Amino acid sequence: MEEGIVGKYIRQLCQNAGETTDFADNFQEKLEKDREIYDEFVSYLKTGNFACQAKVEGYSVVDVMVWQMDHFKARLDRDNSKTRGNRDGMLLYAFHTLLNMREDPQKYIRQMQGETGTDYPGKY
């Protein structure tokens, strides 16, 4: 896929998510350095579906999205307009988190296994 198309898609996602051009540039730079996650991102761009081929310590972008959705539901109560009903933002932040997991996987694994967006006893 042409690099320019990926860049345009990233800028559009960031704009729709309320992010800055600096965020978009940094995200694209980080994405281009990780071929496996880049290919997953391009696959999503082409098909609208997750291939779930790119993994960090066994976690895919879908796993990250599920974890973030739990937090998203909690944020709805606080009316966070940056993510409320923002599919592009959820997609962007899931890929962004997966890229960050490459640098410090244990930090995110601890969060994914221990933090939840809801606070009722016995959730697990």
Side-chain angles (χ1 to χ4, degrees):
M1 174 163 280
E2 183 182 320
E3 297 292 323
I5 294 171
V6 174
K8 287 178 185 176
Y9 185 64
I10 289 170
R11 285 189 295 282
Q12 188 63 55
L13 281 177
C14 287
Q15 181 180 359
N16 293 349
E19 289 295 346
T20 65
T21 55
D22 283 343
F23 183 95
D25 292 343
N26 291 334
F27 175 76
Q28 184 169 355
E29 182 180 325
K30 195 175 234 183
L31 185 64
E32 289 173 351
K33 289 179 181 177
D34 189 310
R35 196 66 194 177
E36 186 181 28
I37 296 175
Y38 177 88
D39 289 346
E40 180 83 20
F41 186 81
V42 169
S43 175
Y44 182 85
L45 172 58
K46 287 180 179 178
T47 67
N49 293 306
F50 297 101
C52 295
Q53 296 299 310
K55 294 187 179 181
V56 177
E57 300 287 325
Y59 289 90
S60 72
V61 70
V62 172
D63 296 314
V64 173
M65 283 190 95
V66 169
W67 170 61
Q68 288 181 337
M69 283 300 294
D70 204 21
H71 285 273
F72 171 73
K73 289 184 281 185
R75 284 194 300 266
L76 283 176
D77 293 337
R78 296 188 299 266
D79 191 26
N80 182 340
S81 60
K82 195 171 190 178
T83 55
R84 186 179 189 113
N86 190 330
R87 179 178 175 212
D88 289 344
M90 294 299 292
L91 176 68
L92 175 66
Y93 300 130
F95 274 101
H96 186 259
T97 298
L98 191 64
L99 286 165
N100 288 338
M101 282 180 74
R102 286 279 196 224
E103 297 168 11
D104 188 2
Q106 291 309 311
K107 170 187 170 185
Y108 291 93
I109 290 169
R110 278 191 305 276
Q111 290 175 350
M112 289 171 68
Q113 291 177 349
E115 292 180 5
T116 65
T118 54
D119 56 356
Y120 59 87
K123 178 174 179 181
Y124 293 104

